[in-house]
Amino acid sequence: MKQKKIPLRKCIVCQEMFPKKELVRVVRTPQEEIMVDLTGKAAGRGAYVCRQESCLKPDTFAAGKWKKVLERALNMSVTQEQYDAFREKWLEMMGQ
């Protein structure tokens, strides 16, 4: 029997490839909001983040790395208010 192909996606923080189901999806909705999509089916442009400690820890947010990464991955300019709201939701969701 032919083995099913596993879709791979690249983490926007560490730039490594992982199976799609192991990643967390971040979406830019048609209303220009940034949200975390746990279902993987929300409408909008998506980007993926792995669950490695180096990509999830608050230090990566403090370094300012995330804002530029999100802007590039989601093809939009991210205001500081949008970024701060997303950061709070992300850290709350990750339990940090």
Side-chain angles (χ1 to χ4, degrees), residues 1-42:
M1 180 177 261
K2 193 173 181 181
Q3 197 172 28
K4 201 172 190 182
K5 185 177 176 183
I6 299 171
L8 297 175
R9 298 292 182 266
K10 186 184 279 190
C11 172
I12 61 173
V13 179
C14 67
Q15 301 293 311
E16 292 183 34
M17 298 292 282
F18 294 95
K20 185 178 174 181
K21 292 191 180 225
E22 293 179 12
L23 301 172
V24 177
R25 186 169 184 243
V26 178
V27 179
R28 178 195 72 201
T29 64
Q31 295 80 25
E32 299 291 318
E33 296 175 19
I34 302 171
M35 61 181 243
V36 178
D37 175 23
L38 297 176
T39 65
K41 297 180 182 185

mmCIF file of all heavy atoms in Angstrom, residues 1-42:
data_model
loop_
_atom_site.group_PDB
_atom_site.id
_atom_site.type_symbol
_atom_site.label_atom_id
_atom_site.label_comp_id
_atom_site.label_asym_id
_atom_site.label_seq_id
_atom_site.Cartn_x
_atom_site.Cartn_y
_atom_site.Cartn_z
ATOM 1 N N MET A 1 0.841 -1.184 0.000
ATOM 2 C CA MET A 1 0.000 0.000 0.000
ATOM 3 C C MET A 1 0.886 1.248 0.000
ATOM 4 O O MET A 1 1.901 1.295 0.688
ATOM 5 C CB MET A 1 -0.917 -0.003 1.222
ATOM 6 C CG MET A 1 -1.832 1.203 1.279
ATOM 7 S SD MET A 1 -2.956 1.130 2.668
ATOM 8 C CE MET A 1 -4.399 0.525 1.837
ATOM 9 N N LYS A 2 0.487 2.251 -0.751
ATOM 10 C CA LYS A 2 1.245 3.487 -0.860
ATOM 11 C C LYS A 2 1.122 4.304 0.425
ATOM 12 O O LYS A 2 0.032 4.454 0.956
ATOM 13 C CB LYS A 2 0.719 4.290 -2.042
ATOM 14 C CG LYS A 2 1.599 5.414 -2.449
ATOM 15 C CD LYS A 2 1.090 6.054 -3.726
ATOM 16 C CE LYS A 2 1.983 7.159 -4.159
ATOM 17 N NZ LYS A 2 1.512 7.804 -5.368
ATOM 18 N N GLN A 3 2.256 4.800 0.892
ATOM 19 C CA GLN A 3 2.265 5.588 2.130
ATOM 20 C C GLN A 3 1.777 7.008 1.844
ATOM 21 O O GLN A 3 2.146 7.613 0.845
ATOM 22 C CB GLN A 3 3.664 5.621 2.717
ATOM 23 C CG GLN A 3 3.694 6.039 4.148
ATOM 24 C CD GLN A 3 5.082 5.877 4.741
ATOM 25 O OE1 GLN A 3 6.080 5.949 4.047
ATOM 26 N NE2 GLN A 3 5.134 5.643 6.040
ATOM 27 N N LYS A 4 0.944 7.533 2.745
ATOM 28 C CA LYS A 4 0.372 8.862 2.581
ATOM 29 C C LYS A 4 1.432 9.937 2.814
ATOM 30 O O LYS A 4 2.237 9.840 3.739
ATOM 31 C CB LYS A 4 -0.769 9.038 3.586
ATOM 32 C CG LYS A 4 -1.747 10.100 3.229
ATOM 33 C CD LYS A 4 -2.927 10.054 4.186
ATOM 34 C CE LYS A 4 -4.018 10.955 3.685
ATOM 35 N NZ LYS A 4 -5.153 10.990 4.583
ATOM 36 N N LYS A 5 1.423 10.965 1.971
ATOM 37 C CA LYS A 5 2.379 12.056 2.099
ATOM 38 C C LYS A 5 2.002 12.945 3.281
ATOM 39 O O LYS A 5 0.851 13.332 3.437
ATOM 40 C CB LYS A 5 2.390 12.879 0.819
ATOM 41 C CG LYS A 5 3.434 13.953 0.801
ATOM 42 C CD LYS A 5 3.426 14.674 -0.530
ATOM 43 C CE LYS A 5 4.403 15.810 -0.500
ATOM 44 N NZ LYS A 5 4.382 16.579 -1.735
ATOM 45 N N ILE A 6 2.985 13.291 4.109
ATOM 46 C CA ILE A 6 2.761 14.145 5.271
ATOM 47 C C ILE A 6 3.144 15.572 4.887
ATOM 48 O O ILE A 6 4.294 15.823 4.514
ATOM 49 C CB ILE A 6 3.601 13.672 6.480
ATOM 50 C CG1 ILE A 6 3.206 12.254 6.859
ATOM 51 C CG2 ILE A 6 3.434 14.622 7.652
ATOM 52 C CD1 ILE A 6 4.100 11.613 7.895
ATOM 53 N N PRO A 7 2.199 16.530 4.966
ATOM 54 C CA PRO A 7 2.533 17.904 4.596
ATOM 55 C C PRO A 7 3.489 18.536 5.612
ATOM 56 O O PRO A 7 3.312 18.394 6.818
ATOM 57 C CB PRO A 7 1.189 18.624 4.590
ATOM 58 C CG PRO A 7 0.267 17.776 5.391
ATOM 59 C CD PRO A 7 0.798 16.379 5.329
ATOM 60 N N LEU A 8 4.494 19.221 5.106
ATOM 61 C CA LEU A 8 5.471 19.894 5.946
ATOM 62 C C LEU A 8 5.290 21.401 5.829
ATOM 63 O O LEU A 8 4.940 21.913 4.773
ATOM 64 C CB LEU A 8 6.894 19.527 5.522
ATOM 65 C CG LEU A 8 7.298 18.069 5.647
ATOM 66 C CD1 LEU A 8 8.691 17.863 5.083
ATOM 67 C CD2 LEU A 8 7.243 17.609 7.082
ATOM 68 N N ARG A 9 5.562 22.109 6.922
ATOM 69 C CA ARG A 9 5.511 23.568 6.940
ATOM 70 C C ARG A 9 6.738 24.068 7.686
ATOM 71 O O ARG A 9 7.304 23.383 8.527
ATOM 72 C CB ARG A 9 4.246 24.084 7.648
ATOM 73 C CG ARG A 9 2.946 23.680 6.985
ATOM 74 C CD ARG A 9 2.768 24.367 5.645
ATOM 75 N NE ARG A 9 1.509 24.037 5.015
ATOM 76 C CZ ARG A 9 1.320 23.067 4.135
ATOM 77 N NH1 ARG A 9 2.321 22.296 3.791
ATOM 78 N NH2 ARG A 9 0.132 22.864 3.598
ATOM 79 N N LYS A 10 7.124 25.313 7.394
ATOM 80 C CA LYS A 10 8.309 25.900 8.009
ATOM 81 C C LYS A 10 7.909 26.820 9.154
ATOM 82 O O LYS A 10 7.030 27.657 9.022
ATOM 83 C CB LYS A 10 9.083 26.698 6.966
ATOM 84 C CG LYS A 10 10.410 27.239 7.478
ATOM 85 C CD LYS A 10 11.099 28.100 6.456
ATOM 86 C CE LYS A 10 11.810 27.232 5.464
ATOM 87 N NZ LYS A 10 12.701 28.020 4.582
ATOM 88 N N CYS A 11 8.596 26.677 10.275
ATOM 89 C CA CYS A 11 8.400 27.563 11.424
ATOM 90 C C CYS A 11 8.953 28.935 11.057
ATOM 91 O O CYS A 11 10.077 29.043 10.558
ATOM 92 C CB CYS A 11 9.116 27.001 12.643
ATOM 93 S SG CYS A 11 9.143 28.120 14.052
ATOM 94 N N ILE A 12 8.172 29.996 11.310
ATOM 95 C CA ILE A 12 8.614 31.342 10.934
ATOM 96 C C ILE A 12 9.688 31.893 11.865
ATOM 97 O O ILE A 12 10.354 32.852 11.515
ATOM 98 C CB ILE A 12 7.421 32.329 10.851
ATOM 99 C CG1 ILE A 12 6.711 32.476 12.197
ATOM 100 C CG2 ILE A 12 6.475 31.932 9.753
ATOM 101 C CD1 ILE A 12 5.647 33.547 12.235
ATOM 102 N N VAL A 13 9.879 31.284 13.027
ATOM 103 C CA VAL A 13 10.883 31.774 13.973
ATOM 104 C C VAL A 13 12.230 31.082 13.760
ATOM 105 O O VAL A 13 13.241 31.738 13.551
ATOM 106 C CB VAL A 13 10.408 31.608 15.432
ATOM 107 C CG1 VAL A 13 11.457 32.091 16.406
ATOM 108 C CG2 VAL A 13 9.103 32.351 15.652
ATOM 109 N N CYS A 14 12.253 29.754 13.764
ATOM 110 C CA CYS A 14 13.520 29.030 13.660
ATOM 111 C C CYS A 14 13.842 28.566 12.236
ATOM 112 O O CYS A 14 14.938 28.084 11.980
ATOM 113 C CB CYS A 14 13.543 27.846 14.609
ATOM 114 S SG CYS A 14 12.378 26.532 14.195
ATOM 115 N N GLN A 15 12.885 28.693 11.314
ATOM 116 C CA GLN A 15 13.070 28.341 9.900
ATOM 117 C C GLN A 15 13.317 26.856 9.662
ATOM 118 O O GLN A 15 13.929 26.476 8.670
ATOM 119 C CB GLN A 15 14.219 29.161 9.290
ATOM 120 C CG GLN A 15 14.021 30.658 9.352
ATOM 121 C CD GLN A 15 12.872 31.114 8.478
ATOM 122 O OE1 GLN A 15 12.781 30.734 7.316
ATOM 123 N NE2 GLN A 15 11.978 31.911 9.028
ATOM 124 N N GLU A 16 12.823 25.980 10.542
ATOM 125 C CA GLU A 16 12.954 24.537 10.357
ATOM 126 C C GLU A 16 11.636 23.963 9.870
ATOM 127 O O GLU A 16 10.570 24.494 10.163
ATOM 128 C CB GLU A 16 13.364 23.865 11.668
ATOM 129 C CG GLU A 16 14.767 24.215 12.103
ATOM 130 C CD GLU A 16 15.178 23.484 13.370
ATOM 131 O OE1 GLU A 16 14.754 22.328 13.561
ATOM 132 O OE2 GLU A 16 15.901 24.080 14.174
ATOM 133 N N MET A 17 11.716 22.853 9.134
ATOM 134 C CA MET A 17 10.525 22.197 8.596
ATOM 135 C C MET A 17 10.011 21.160 9.595
ATOM 136 O O MET A 17 10.792 20.413 10.178
ATOM 137 C CB MET A 17 10.847 21.504 7.273
ATOM 138 C CG MET A 17 11.304 22.454 6.185
ATOM 139 S SD MET A 17 10.022 23.562 5.621
ATOM 140 C CE MET A 17 9.097 22.491 4.558
ATOM 141 N N PHE A 18 8.675 21.120 9.761
ATOM 142 C CA PHE A 18 8.020 20.176 10.664
ATOM 143 C C PHE A 18 6.729 19.682 10.013
ATOM 144 O O PHE A 18 6.176 20.375 9.161
ATOM 145 C CB PHE A 18 7.645 20.857 11.989
ATOM 146 C CG PHE A 18 8.814 21.288 12.810
ATOM 147 C CD1 PHE A 18 9.298 22.589 12.732
ATOM 148 C CD2 PHE A 18 9.440 20.412 13.672
ATOM 149 C CE1 PHE A 18 10.377 23.009 13.489
ATOM 150 C CE2 PHE A 18 10.512 20.818 14.440
ATOM 151 C CZ PHE A 18 10.989 22.109 14.349
ATOM 152 N N PRO A 19 6.230 18.518 10.438
ATOM 153 C CA PRO A 19 4.895 18.115 9.983
ATOM 154 C C PRO A 19 3.861 19.152 10.415
ATOM 155 O O PRO A 19 3.939 19.706 11.523
ATOM 156 C CB PRO A 19 4.664 16.782 10.682
ATOM 157 C CG PRO A 19 6.029 16.262 10.964
ATOM 158 C CD PRO A 19 6.871 17.483 11.231
ATOM 159 N N LYS A 20 2.921 19.425 9.547
ATOM 160 C CA LYS A 20 1.931 20.482 9.758
ATOM 161 C C LYS A 20 1.176 20.336 11.082
ATOM 162 O O LYS A 20 0.909 21.321 11.766
ATOM 163 C CB LYS A 20 0.956 20.471 8.586
ATOM 164 C CG LYS A 20 -0.052 21.572 8.584
ATOM 165 C CD LYS A 20 -0.912 21.472 7.335
ATOM 166 C CE LYS A 20 -2.029 22.456 7.348
ATOM 167 N NZ LYS A 20 -2.879 22.341 6.155
ATOM 168 N N LYS A 21 0.860 19.111 11.478
ATOM 169 C CA LYS A 21 0.067 18.886 12.689
ATOM 170 C C LYS A 21 0.828 19.196 13.978
ATOM 171 O O LYS A 21 0.219 19.348 15.023
ATOM 172 C CB LYS A 21 -0.449 17.452 12.720
ATOM 173 C CG LYS A 21 -1.467 17.206 11.636
ATOM 174 C CD LYS A 21 -2.158 15.893 11.814
ATOM 175 C CE LYS A 21 -3.151 15.715 10.696
ATOM 176 N NZ LYS A 21 -4.414 15.250 11.106
ATOM 177 N N GLU A 22 2.149 19.300 13.899
ATOM 178 C CA GLU A 22 2.955 19.601 15.088
ATOM 179 C C GLU A 22 3.109 21.094 15.327
ATOM 180 O O GLU A 22 3.685 21.502 16.333
ATOM 181 C CB GLU A 22 4.343 18.978 14.950
ATOM 182 C CG GLU A 22 4.344 17.470 14.967
ATOM 183 C CD GLU A 22 5.734 16.889 14.805
ATOM 184 O OE1 GLU A 22 6.728 17.656 14.905
ATOM 185 O OE2 GLU A 22 5.829 15.682 14.575
ATOM 186 N N LEU A 23 2.625 21.921 14.418
ATOM 187 C CA LEU A 23 2.828 23.363 14.492
ATOM 188 C C LEU A 23 1.576 24.101 14.939
ATOM 189 O O LEU A 23 0.472 23.583 14.843
ATOM 190 C CB LEU A 23 3.254 23.889 13.116
ATOM 191 C CG LEU A 23 4.537 23.283 12.556
ATOM 192 C CD1 LEU A 23 4.747 23.727 11.125
ATOM 193 C CD2 LEU A 23 5.719 23.669 13.400
ATOM 194 N N VAL A 24 1.769 25.323 15.414
ATOM 195 C CA VAL A 24 0.679 26.214 15.798
ATOM 196 C C VAL A 24 0.528 27.224 14.664
ATOM 197 O O VAL A 24 1.516 27.815 14.213
ATOM 198 C CB VAL A 24 1.007 26.949 17.122
ATOM 199 C CG1 VAL A 24 -0.095 27.929 17.479
ATOM 200 C CG2 VAL A 24 1.238 25.948 18.236
ATOM 201 N N ARG A 25 -0.700 27.448 14.202
ATOM 202 C CA ARG A 25 -0.946 28.355 13.081
ATOM 203 C C ARG A 25 -1.336 29.737 13.591
ATOM 204 O O ARG A 25 -2.158 29.887 14.477
ATOM 205 C CB ARG A 25 -2.070 27.797 12.205
ATOM 206 C CG ARG A 25 -2.304 28.600 10.947
ATOM 207 C CD ARG A 25 -3.232 27.839 10.007
ATOM 208 N NE ARG A 25 -3.379 28.552 8.759
ATOM 209 C CZ ARG A 25 -4.521 29.044 8.303
ATOM 210 N NH1 ARG A 25 -5.635 28.872 8.993
ATOM 211 N NH2 ARG A 25 -4.579 29.679 7.166
ATOM 212 N N VAL A 26 -0.720 30.752 12.996
ATOM 213 C CA VAL A 26 -1.041 32.150 13.272
ATOM 214 C C VAL A 26 -1.671 32.691 11.991
ATOM 215 O O VAL A 26 -1.142 32.468 10.906
ATOM 216 C CB VAL A 26 0.226 32.950 13.632
ATOM 217 C CG1 VAL A 26 -0.114 34.406 13.871
ATOM 218 C CG2 VAL A 26 0.908 32.347 14.840
ATOM 219 N N VAL A 27 -2.809 33.394 12.113
ATOM 220 C CA VAL A 27 -3.568 33.813 10.938
ATOM 221 C C VAL A 27 -3.790 35.313 10.917
ATOM 222 O O VAL A 27 -4.073 35.923 11.948
ATOM 223 C CB VAL A 27 -4.953 33.117 10.929
ATOM 224 C CG1 VAL A 27 -5.778 33.545 9.740
ATOM 225 C CG2 VAL A 27 -4.809 31.628 10.960
ATOM 226 N N ARG A 28 -3.671 35.893 9.718
ATOM 227 C CA ARG A 28 -4.118 37.273 9.484
ATOM 228 C C ARG A 28 -5.502 37.136 8.849
ATOM 229 O O ARG A 28 -5.659 36.636 7.750
ATOM 230 C CB ARG A 28 -3.198 38.004 8.508
ATOM 231 C CG ARG A 28 -3.711 39.427 8.236
ATOM 232 C CD ARG A 28 -3.075 40.046 7.030
ATOM 233 N NE ARG A 28 -3.607 39.391 5.837
ATOM 234 C CZ ARG A 28 -3.017 39.376 4.656
ATOM 235 N NH1 ARG A 28 -1.851 39.941 4.490
ATOM 236 N NH2 ARG A 28 -3.571 38.786 3.622
ATOM 237 N N THR A 29 -6.518 37.557 9.575
ATOM 238 C CA THR A 29 -7.888 37.428 9.089
ATOM 239 C C THR A 29 -8.177 38.487 8.029
ATOM 240 O O THR A 29 -7.430 39.463 7.906
ATOM 241 C CB THR A 29 -8.895 37.593 10.245
ATOM 242 O OG1 THR A 29 -8.778 38.914 10.760
ATOM 243 C CG2 THR A 29 -8.652 36.578 11.349
ATOM 244 N N PRO A 30 -9.262 38.324 7.263
ATOM 245 C CA PRO A 30 -9.642 39.350 6.289
ATOM 246 C C PRO A 30 -9.905 40.718 6.920
ATOM 247 O O PRO A 30 -9.836 41.737 6.244
ATOM 248 C CB PRO A 30 -10.916 38.784 5.661
ATOM 249 C CG PRO A 30 -10.779 37.306 5.822
ATOM 250 C CD PRO A 30 -10.069 37.114 7.133
ATOM 251 N N GLN A 31 -10.175 40.772 8.224
ATOM 252 C CA GLN A 31 -10.392 42.033 8.936
ATOM 253 C C GLN A 31 -9.087 42.620 9.460
ATOM 254 O O GLN A 31 -9.103 43.526 10.297
ATOM 255 C CB GLN A 31 -11.368 41.839 10.110
ATOM 256 C CG GLN A 31 -12.759 41.452 9.717
ATOM 257 C CD GLN A 31 -12.895 39.966 9.406
ATOM 258 O OE1 GLN A 31 -12.125 39.138 9.896
ATOM 259 N NE2 GLN A 31 -13.856 39.630 8.564
ATOM 260 N N GLU A 32 -7.929 42.079 9.008
ATOM 261 C CA GLU A 32 -6.601 42.553 9.397
ATOM 262 C C GLU A 32 -6.290 42.338 10.879
ATOM 263 O O GLU A 32 -5.565 43.114 11.486
ATOM 264 C CB GLU A 32 -6.405 44.034 9.035
ATOM 265 C CG GLU A 32 -6.509 44.323 7.557
ATOM 266 C CD GLU A 32 -5.344 43.751 6.741
ATOM 267 O OE1 GLU A 32 -4.203 43.843 7.194
ATOM 268 O OE2 GLU A 32 -5.612 43.206 5.660
ATOM 269 N N GLU A 33 -6.843 41.298 11.473
ATOM 270 C CA GLU A 33 -6.523 40.933 12.852
ATOM 271 C C GLU A 33 -5.527 39.785 12.824
ATOM 272 O O GLU A 33 -5.487 39.014 11.877
ATOM 273 C CB GLU A 33 -7.786 40.481 13.588
ATOM 274 C CG GLU A 33 -8.839 41.543 13.746
ATOM 275 C CD GLU A 33 -10.114 40.988 14.379
ATOM 276 O OE1 GLU A 33 -10.057 39.905 15.001
ATOM 277 O OE2 GLU A 33 -11.151 41.628 14.232
ATOM 278 N N ILE A 34 -4.742 39.675 13.884
ATOM 279 C CA ILE A 34 -3.813 38.550 14.022
ATOM 280 C C ILE A 34 -4.330 37.678 15.150
ATOM 281 O O ILE A 34 -4.575 38.164 16.247
ATOM 282 C CB ILE A 34 -2.396 39.044 14.345
ATOM 283 C CG1 ILE A 34 -1.912 39.993 13.265
ATOM 284 C CG2 ILE A 34 -1.450 37.866 14.476
ATOM 285 C CD1 ILE A 34 -0.614 40.677 13.616
ATOM 286 N N MET A 35 -4.506 36.388 14.862
ATOM 287 C CA MET A 35 -5.015 35.478 15.884
ATOM 288 C C MET A 35 -4.344 34.119 15.774
ATOM 289 O O MET A 35 -3.778 33.771 14.743
ATOM 290 C CB MET A 35 -6.526 35.337 15.780
ATOM 291 C CG MET A 35 -7.027 34.771 14.477
ATOM 292 S SD MET A 35 -8.806 34.677 14.433
ATOM 293 C CE MET A 35 -9.043 32.933 14.282
ATOM 294 N N VAL A 36 -4.415 33.367 16.857
ATOM 295 C CA VAL A 36 -3.896 32.008 16.890
ATOM 296 C C VAL A 36 -5.025 31.079 16.472
ATOM 297 O O VAL A 36 -6.131 31.156 17.000
ATOM 298 C CB VAL A 36 -3.389 31.647 18.299
ATOM 299 C CG1 VAL A 36 -2.897 30.218 18.346
ATOM 300 C CG2 VAL A 36 -2.306 32.612 18.735
ATOM 301 N N ASP A 37 -4.748 30.225 15.495
ATOM 302 C CA ASP A 37 -5.754 29.310 14.955
ATOM 303 C C ASP A 37 -5.418 27.882 15.374
ATOM 304 O O ASP A 37 -4.558 27.246 14.778
ATOM 305 C CB ASP A 37 -5.778 29.433 13.430
ATOM 306 C CG ASP A 37 -6.716 28.435 12.773
ATOM 307 O OD1 ASP A 37 -7.647 27.961 13.444
ATOM 308 O OD2 ASP A 37 -6.508 28.134 11.585
ATOM 309 N N LEU A 38 -6.075 27.393 16.396
ATOM 310 C CA LEU A 38 -5.796 26.046 16.879
ATOM 311 C C LEU A 38 -6.413 24.969 16.000
ATOM 312 O O LEU A 38 -5.960 23.834 15.984
ATOM 313 C CB LEU A 38 -6.288 25.896 18.320
ATOM 314 C CG LEU A 38 -5.587 26.802 19.335
ATOM 315 C CD1 LEU A 38 -6.208 26.636 20.709
ATOM 316 C CD2 LEU A 38 -4.103 26.501 19.383
ATOM 317 N N THR A 39 -7.460 25.316 15.237
ATOM 318 C CA THR A 39 -8.108 24.339 14.362
ATOM 319 C C THR A 39 -7.353 24.155 13.055
ATOM 320 O O THR A 39 -7.467 23.109 12.422
ATOM 321 C CB THR A 39 -9.546 24.774 14.015
ATOM 322 O OG1 THR A 39 -9.499 25.978 13.249
ATOM 323 C CG2 THR A 39 -10.373 24.988 15.265
ATOM 324 N N GLY A 40 -6.611 25.176 12.632
ATOM 325 C CA GLY A 40 -5.887 25.094 11.374
ATOM 326 C C GLY A 40 -6.756 25.338 10.166
ATOM 327 O O GLY A 40 -6.350 25.112 9.039
ATOM 328 N N LYS A 41 -7.991 25.820 10.375
ATOM 329 C CA LYS A 41 -8.928 25.988 9.272
ATOM 330 C C LYS A 41 -9.506 27.392 9.153
ATOM 331 O O LYS A 41 -10.388 27.615 8.342
ATOM 332 C CB LYS A 41 -10.079 24.992 9.430
ATOM 333 C CG LYS A 41 -9.625 23.555 9.355
ATOM 334 C CD LYS A 41 -10.770 22.605 9.505
ATOM 335 C CE LYS A 41 -10.241 21.169 9.465
ATOM 336 N NZ LYS A 41 -11.317 20.190 9.494
ATOM 337 N N ALA A 42 -9.024 28.339 9.954
ATOM 338 C CA ALA A 42 -9.559 29.699 9.903
ATOM 339 C C ALA A 42 -9.207 30.361 8.575
ATOM 340 O O ALA A 42 -8.154 30.098 8.000
ATOM 341 C CB ALA A 42 -9.012 30.528 11.062
#
